[in-house]
Amino acid sequence: MPREYPLEKVRNIGIIAHIDAGKTTVSERILFYTGISYKIGEVHEGTTVMDWMEQERERGITITSAATTVFWIPTYRAGNKEYQHQFNLIDTPGHIDFTVEVKRSLRVLDGAVVVFDGVAGVEPQSETNWHYADEYRVPRICFINKLDRMGASFEKSLASIYERLTKHAVAMQMPIGAEAHFKGVVNLLEHKAYEFEGEHGERVVEIPIPEGLKKEMQERRHHLIEKIVDNDDALLSSYLEGKEIPVEDLRRVLRKAVIANKLVPVLCGSALKNKGVQFVLDAVVDYLPSPPDLPPVKGTDPKSDAEIVRRARDDEPFSALAFKVATDPYVGNLTYFRNYSGVLTRGSYILNASKNRQERIGRIVRLHANERKEVEEVYAGGIAAIVGLKDTTTGDTLCAPDAPIVLEQIIFPEPVIGVRIEPKTKADQEKMSTALHRLAEEDPTFRVAGDIETGETIISGMGELHLEIIVDRMKREFGVQANVGRPQVAYKETITQEAEAEGKYIRQSGGRGQYGHVRLTVKPLAREKGFVFVDAIRGGDIPREFIPAVEKGVREALEKGVLAHYPMTDVEVTLYDGSFHEVDSSEAAFKIAGSIALQEAARRAKPAVLEPIMKVQVIVPQEFLGEVTGDINSRRGKIEAMSDRANVKVVDAHVPLSEMFGYATELRSMTQGRGSFTMEFSHREEVPANIAQLIIEGKKK
Ligand code: GDP
């Protein structure tokens, strides 16, 4: 079967938003207007199509990043099938604990719609997600939602995008009416005004431009056109000559600028009141890239490490990235992948290049939210899911066996919080390890450590809610009941200076002996760099076959730091010398020697404890500002900024996670329930000496 859609008509996009900005409602409306869903569900009733996992319904948030395929013809081409486009919507979560999901979806999507609450404007998490999108150079359009709400302002929200996110933001529209009287939008490019009729606003109707808006509209339109023509010499000179530039040309140049991340169109509306969402879909077609609009994907040859480039074409060898592994109650294991090049066919063999294993492709499904459609093949640029892959985890590269490539990895943050977890009964004990193992496979920021048998299992993740949801899923999906301890900070250890040490493991009395001997140096690395092992052995002081064993010993020793048994990180280890014995040397002996040497070197390298520092934003009425900032200082927090929003104060601060437990309750009592806050992981820092001492003595959790 040939491809249904030319690649230029495919859009792989995600909708990103701060929790409650209206992402679910917008997605719902998209499914409705594109004809996938015939029923508009209200989020609070828990019927929303995209939120198909139960606990998401209960919590009203979206956790998984399911991919959904829909079709759209721009409204200005209504009825003309030739202009039909295929969108693969990659769902991104709203809650900050799931930033990792946002990150991995950003890695595979080509463009994004960023949704804002028209009352709150830019919120802290919008900033975080925006920066992630910058990191992956994802072209974006913005949608200022909820303009029907009291206190909503297009103007102010646009200004907050401009001030806090990007100077490339440019308004494409103007609202007609405000708050309860918000009725429609003016399209600045087309010079036209629209309202939305029908029960769900499904009919887009052109209306005359309201008299009172005409002047402002002219000004805004000039501003928009200037921004656009700046990107094209030919258009710029006709503009300067005073010529009217055709809308088609403006669209074309704007499209180029958006794809190059030079402009960010801003649209507006109210998803709940069914206003404006169709124009978001039009903007996706007009301005967000199709796969061939983007630079070819890069990877490395797993054998030679040479760089390989793959273009988004069906005639290139197959390459894809597995961006999510999920356990589906009906079909089992689903591996969502983004196809970067070539064609994946049912029944063929592929290579998981990250794990160097071949797997056979059984069924392939394309998802329409709660409905699956089996497909025979997936073309370049496509997104779908493979059923029943065994060894593939999130972030793995899948490719044609005869054209191996490893695509750039997704880097995930290390967990910051852990809880002890214990099965309730003997029966739970057996199932718990399977459950935790499966959940860890799905989610690279969720880790399991320790031993279920001895009741010493610690699960760790990116926040309290993250772990709560894991425990909840364990109960629902795997039927495992567990007792959960109090959350504890996931400290780490590191070193602060260079040092060297020797490790010897020599036993040569009676029977077969043991001989392992190494010399190594340790050196501090920058934060979040993890572990680097350098093999500097020249001339066979240690035979090659024993070097991996030394590295293994070093890695094992790093698992338990020398101060308080927290894992060590941000360390470079160079193995530079050693000796061996013809008969007595073994892998086991070199592993132990490596481990001894590392521990000794770490002790000499002024070890330190690292703690997670959170980015915290508190919103309070003016009268509580003094008390709230004083309290943040007493929590070892650093106030980074204070600003005004409507009639409240916004405090941005960095605070150690260990000082934030129970903050919600305290903030409530300090502010008579009128303060609110958000928090997310920022970075790790060395713990001050007096506190490090408490941690080492086990007195501080
Ligand atoms: P999400 O958390 O970003 O997925 O946001 P939801 O779509 O769940 O919306 C959060 C809340 O805002 C829900 O109660 C919605 O009904 C409401 N909401 C969404 N869009 C609008 C809108 O355009 N206007 C108003 N007034 N409320 C909205």
Side-chain angles (χ1 to χ4, degrees):
M1 204 177 89
R3 62 159 56 243
E4 288 167 87
Y5 281 85
L7 205 44
E8 303 73 52
K9 289 193 179 143
V10 174
R11 301 286 181 275
N12 292 315
I13 59 158
I15 301 175
I16 343 183
H18 190 280
I19 185 153
D20 260 4
K23 198 191 65 195
T24 312
T25 312
V26 170
S27 310
E28 254 291 292
R29 293 319 187 258
I30 291 179
L31 295 184
F32 181 81
Y33 296 130
T34 55
I36 291 279
S37 149
Y38 295 98
K39 185 165 166 279
I40 294 242
E42 289 300 325
V43 174
H44 52 262
E45 290 166 5
T47 55
T48 315
V49 182
M50 292 289 267
D51 285 4
W52 49 280
M53 281 173 66
E54 271 187 73
Q55 73 270 42
E56 288 179 36
R57 286 188 189 178
E58 280 174 17
R59 291 173 200 262
I61 53 180
T62 311
I63 304 162
T64 47
S65 46
T68 302
T69 303
V70 302
F71 301 96
W72 182 248
I73 303 171
T75 46
Y76 60 90
R77 308 275 192 202
N80 192 339
K81 267 252 172 186
E82 209 185 304
Y83 291 95
Q84 178 156 300
H85 286 66
Q86 180 189 48
F87 297 175
N88 297 307
L89 293 176
I90 299 159
D91 193 20
T92 61
H95 194 278
I96 195 60
D97 281 354
F98 310 109
T99 297
V100 51
E101 298 260 359
V102 177
K103 245 186 143 168
R104 74 167 140 218
S105 15
L106 282 171
R107 170 73 173 75
V108 294
L109 49 77
D110 298 332
V113 177
V114 188
V115 179
F116 298 88
D117 178 328
V119 180
V122 173
E123 295 169 88
Q125 196 199 336
S126 335
E127 276 182 277
T128 310
N129 290 337
W130 192 271
H131 297 313
Y132 285 146
D134 282 341
E135 230 176 88
Y136 292 110
R137 298 193 52 78
V138 175
R140 272 149 276 181
I141 54 183
C142 296
F143 179 63
I144 299 175
N145 187 31
K146 302 199 185 185
L147 284 188
D148 61 298
R149 274 184 67 193
M150 198 155 78
S153 161
F154 177 66
E155 203 54 37
K156 282 198 190 131
S157 302
L158 179 65
S160 75
I161 293 173
Y162 188 80
E163 289 307 322
R164 295 175 61 180
L165 301 182
T166 175
K167 301 282 183 244
H168 298 317
V170 60
M172 300 293 297
Q173 299 178 333
M174 264 172 67
I176 304 174
E179 301 179 342
H181 304 291
F182 172 64
K183 317 196 290 191
V185 296
V186 172
N187 179 325
L188 295 174
L189 211 56
E190 291 179 350
H191 214 282
K192 286 178 181 168
Y194 295 96
E195 278 185 3
F196 304 88
E197 290 181 356
E199 195 188 347
H200 299 299
E202 58 274 18
R203 281 194 305 284
V204 178
V205 180
E206 192 185 339
I207 56 164
I209 295 171
E211 235 6 88
L213 292 183
K214 281 190 172 156
K215 189 163 161 286
E216 191 189 341
M217 178 192 154
Q218 279 308 343
E219 285 163 16
R220 286 191 175 277
R221 182 163 201 270
H222 275 299
H223 177 70
L224 170 65
I225 292 175
E226 275 170 16
K227 286 267 203 178
I228 297 174
V229 297
D230 248 357
N231 293 283
D232 187 280
D233 291 342
L235 286 202
L236 182 61
S237 46
S238 0
Y239 177 75
L240 293 176
E241 285 160 23
K243 289 188 190 145
E244 184 62 31
I245 300 167
V247 173
E248 281 304 302
D249 286 339
L250 290 169
R251 277 204 193 103
R252 175 177 53 79
V253 171
L254 178 54
R255 173 177 180 79
K256 248 177 36 197
V258 174
I259 292 172
N261 279 297
K262 287 186 184 150
L263 282 178
V264 178
V266 181
L267 288 81
C268 64
S270 161
L272 188 70
K273 296 290 156 65
N274 307 308
K275 293 180 186 12
V277 175
Q278 292 97 328
F279 292 138
V280 175
L281 295 172
D282 288 0
V284 169
V285 169
D286 290 340
Y287 310 122
L288 291 182
S290 70
D293 286 322
L294 294 170
V297 64
K298 285 190 185 137
T300 49
D301 181 325
K303 290 229 171 64
S304 66
D305 262 353
E307 188 179 283
I308 307 178
V309 170
R310 290 278 157 78
R311 285 163 311 161
R313 291 174 52 145
D314 296 337
D315 57 6
E316 289 259 314
F318 171 66
S319 71
L321 193 83
F323 66 95
K324 181 166 179 83
V325 177
T327 320
D328 181 280
Y330 303 104
V331 295
N333 209 14
L334 277 181
T335 306
Y336 292 85
F337 67 99
R338 153 82 201 246
N339 185 352
Y340 283 95
S341 61
V343 181
L344 178 69
T345 319
R346 175 194 167 106
S348 65
Y349 281 88
I350 51 118
L351 173 70
N352 176 335
S354 312
K355 300 233 163 65
N356 195 21
R357 289 209 189 116
Q358 291 223 13
E359 295 208 55
R360 187 171 176 273
I361 303 299
R363 292 154 64 203
I364 309 172
V365 290
R366 177 166 295 149
L367 293 103
H368 297 291
N370 53 353
E371 181 192 299
R372 298 169 191 79
K373 203 171 128 188
E374 296 220 7
V375 291
E376 286 300 313
E377 55 251 301
V378 180
Y379 293 92
I383 288 182
I386 304 167
V387 179
L389 283 190
K390 281 186 208 72
D391 295 320
T392 302
T393 50
T394 299
D396 286 355
T397 301
L398 308 176
C399 61
D402 54 356
I405 180 172
V406 178
L407 300 173
E408 196 191 322
Q409 275 284 350
I410 312 176
I411 296 165
F412 297 110
E414 292 282 313
V416 296
I417 195 164
V419 297
R420 189 176 296 268
I421 180 166
E422 207 180 59
K424 277 213 169 117
T425 66
K426 187 86 188 146
D428 290 320
Q429 182 175 319
E430 279 151 28
K431 285 185 286 179
M432 191 164 107
S433 104
T434 322
L436 291 177
H437 180 72
R438 284 280 274 287
L439 292 166
E441 252 174 21
E442 284 183 21
D443 178 353
T445 58
F446 169 64
R447 305 275 169 81
V448 185
D451 182 358
I452 293 176
E453 305 270 312
T454 61
E456 289 289 308
T457 307
I458 308 275
I459 57 173
S460 50
M462 297 315 293
E464 288 184 64
L465 181 60
H466 185 200
L467 296 181
E468 263 175 49
I469 285 178
I470 296 270
V471 172
D472 194 44
R473 287 190 58 192
M474 211 167 67
K475 193 156 87 192
R476 281 172 196 286
E477 291 170 29
F478 300 90
V480 181
Q481 303 273 357
N483 295 318
V484 177
R486 290 210 337 194
Q488 304 191 345
V489 176
Y491 293 108
K492 296 221 174 234
E493 295 181 22
T494 190
I495 53 169
T496 60
Q497 62 185 37
E498 291 186 32
E500 52 178 73
E502 186 176 35
K504 275 187 186 157
Y505 185 70
I506 302 175
R507 297 281 179 277
Q508 288 178 310
S509 52
R512 192 178 162 202
Q514 295 282 1
Y515 191 103
H517 172 215
V518 305
R519 286 202 176 89
L520 51 75
T521 58
V522 293
K523 192 171 106 181
L525 290 178
R527 287 291 84 83
E528 306 298 320
K529 289 289 175 217
F531 167 62
V532 175
F533 184 80
V534 182
D535 166 14
I537 294 290
R538 299 285 171 266
D541 292 331
I542 301 175
R544 292 253 75 84
E545 68 260 36
F546 296 134
I547 290 173
V550 177
E551 179 174 348
K552 209 163 161 202
V554 165
R555 278 186 191 273
E556 276 180 20
L558 286 168
E559 286 298 306
K560 266 193 190 321
V562 292
L563 286 176
H565 292 331
Y566 290 106
M568 276 198 270
T569 185
D570 305 339
V571 182
E572 182 179 288
V573 176
T574 306
L575 173 64
Y576 71 95
D577 195 16
S579 63
F580 71 105
H581 184 278
E582 286 293 350
V583 182
D584 293 344
S585 276
S586 67
E587 283 185 13
F590 271 101
K591 194 175 122 189
I592 298 172
S595 169
I596 294 172
L598 189 278
Q599 287 181 30
E600 185 50 35
R603 274 188 212 103
R604 293 179 187 172
K606 272 191 80 199
V609 180
L610 295 175
E611 63 179 344
I613 305 290
M614 309 304 278
K615 182 169 140 194
V616 177
Q617 182 171 74
V618 191
I619 300 178
V620 284
Q622 165 79 45
E623 63 256 48
F624 303 111
L625 186 64
E627 201 178 339
V628 165
T629 53
D631 177 70
I632 288 176
N633 285 323
S634 75
R635 294 174 188 269
R636 298 194 284 130
K638 286 192 202 91
I639 310 257
E640 304 289 335
M642 278 193 259
S643 51
D644 291 290
R645 181 182 303 163
N647 36 28
V648 292
K649 293 281 173 189
V650 180
V651 182
D652 287 295
H654 279 118
V655 190
L657 174 61
S658 63
E659 308 290 336
M660 287 301 289
F661 290 123
Y663 187 65
T665 317
E666 286 195 32
L667 181 66
R668 224 177 289 132
S669 70
M670 250 184 309
T671 61
Q672 298 163 9
R674 292 168 61 202
S676 66
F677 81 107
T678 56
M679 155 165 112
E680 67 183 275
F681 173 66
S682 166
H683 61 282
R684 284 190 169 79
E685 262 176 34
E686 216 177 292
V687 178
N690 55 333
I691 291 169
Q693 199 49 43
L694 294 177
I695 295 169
I696 292 165
E697 289 164 12
K699 290 182 188 142
K700 185 177 176 77
K701 295 293 174 190

